[in-house]
Amino acid sequence: MDQTKKRQVPSSLKKILAFDIYLSYAFVTTFEKYVTFKQLKTHYKALEISCHGITWMALTLASIWIFNSTSLYQMQVNLFIGFIIDIFITAILKALTRRRRPAVNDDLFSIGPDKYSFPSGHASRSTFIVYFFLYIWEVPSIFTLSLISWCVCVCLSRLLMRRHNILDICAGIGLGIIEAKFINYLYLSQETCINLISWITSERVDDL
């Protein structure tokens, strides 16, 4: 019964996915001829944590109460909304596509990625963050190179950890750009963000 309910994947799509797997494997094995996974495992894990959805959502919420600055509320609220949208869309796409990861994640101390790989949530999130801080809430240009380098390293680490194939990463990058453009279009005003935080905390926040 389960076999009859299996989705029929078009032959053209099968070829694309097969080529993606081959290309991804070739890239990773070529890289590992020069640097082994064990040598960079700690760095990969640090990058994984640095772009985890829970990490960013928790830090964004914490920063609202730690800094308690009305001048930052607009950035913090819109950034948080972007993370919610990213997690929601990524979860839906993964449930629809159900593409398996290149390798089973059996690391006990892993942050716990789910079993589906398309698109890469880390790639979409890191791209969204970089776009947000470069084009929406612009940070000083001195941080530009660091942000872009971090995003590139996060995306590469997902590939080299065998969490994703190249197509998963590319789709994640594209999704992150779309999400950032949507947030830029939706961008809530400072007054709205102040009122929202006042409503959530049940405290009056003066617009300084």
Side-chain angles (χ1 to χ4, degrees), residues 152-169:
V152 171
C153 289
V154 167
C155 292
L156 283 176
S157 70
R158 305 308 291 166
L159 184 62
L160 296 172
M161 289 178 77
R162 291 184 169 84
R163 297 286 194 262
H164 296 280
N165 291 304
I166 293 175
L167 190 59
D168 305 330
I169 303 295

Side-chain angles (χ1 to χ4, degrees), residues 23-180:
L23 196 63
S24 302
Y25 179 79
F27 176 84
V28 173
T29 52
T30 300
F31 182 87
E32 289 182 343
K33 288 180 181 179
Y34 305 97
V35 182
T36 63
F37 174 77
K38 289 183 179 179
Q39 289 177 297
L40 295 177
K41 185 176 181 179
T42 303
H43 298 84
Y44 294 158
K45 287 295 180 183
L47 287 167
E48 183 177 51
I49 296 171
S50 74
C51 195
H52 198 277
I54 295 177
T55 301
W56 275 92
M57 291 180 73
L59 287 175
T60 303
L61 285 175
S63 69
I64 294 175
W65 277 268
I66 292 173
F67 295 111
N68 193 28
S69 172
T70 53
S71 63
L72 295 176
Y73 285 167
Q74 187 178 23
M75 177 272 289
Q76 292 163 329
V77 170
N78 283 285
L79 185 64
F80 187 77
I81 292 173
F83 292 141
I84 294 176
I85 292 173
D86 174 69
I87 292 174
F88 182 73
I89 294 177
T90 301
I92 290 177
L93 290 176
K94 285 185 175 183
L96 290 174
T97 57
R98 291 182 287 175
R99 189 185 193 193
R100 297 286 179 174
R101 292 187 182 274
V104 176
N105 178 29
D106 56 359
D107 187 347
L108 181 62
F109 299 100
S110 176
I111 298 303
D114 55 73
K115 59 185 178 181
Y116 301 128
S117 70
F118 185 91
S120 167
H122 277 71
S124 66
R125 198 170 305 115
S126 60
T127 302
F128 167 76
I129 291 168
V130 171
Y131 192 105
F132 186 93
F133 286 115
L134 291 186
Y135 299 106
I136 301 177
W137 197 79
E138 297 181 24
V139 297
S141 58
I142 190 173
F143 295 107
T144 301
L145 183 59
S146 297
L147 280 169
I148 294 174
S149 298
W150 170 74
C151 180
V152 171
C153 289
V154 167
C155 292
L156 283 176
S157 70
R158 305 308 291 166
L159 184 62
L160 296 172
M161 289 178 77
R162 291 184 169 84
R163 297 286 194 262
H164 296 280
N165 291 304
I166 293 175
L167 190 59
D168 305 330
I169 303 295
C170 292
I173 293 172
L175 178 60
I177 293 173
I178 293 172
E179 291 168 347

Side-chain angles (χ1 to χ4, degrees), residues 194-206:
I194 290 174
N195 291 334
L196 183 61
I197 291 177
S198 298
W199 176 72
I200 293 174
T201 60
S202 298
E203 294 180 1
R204 173 65 183 170
V205 179
D206 295 323

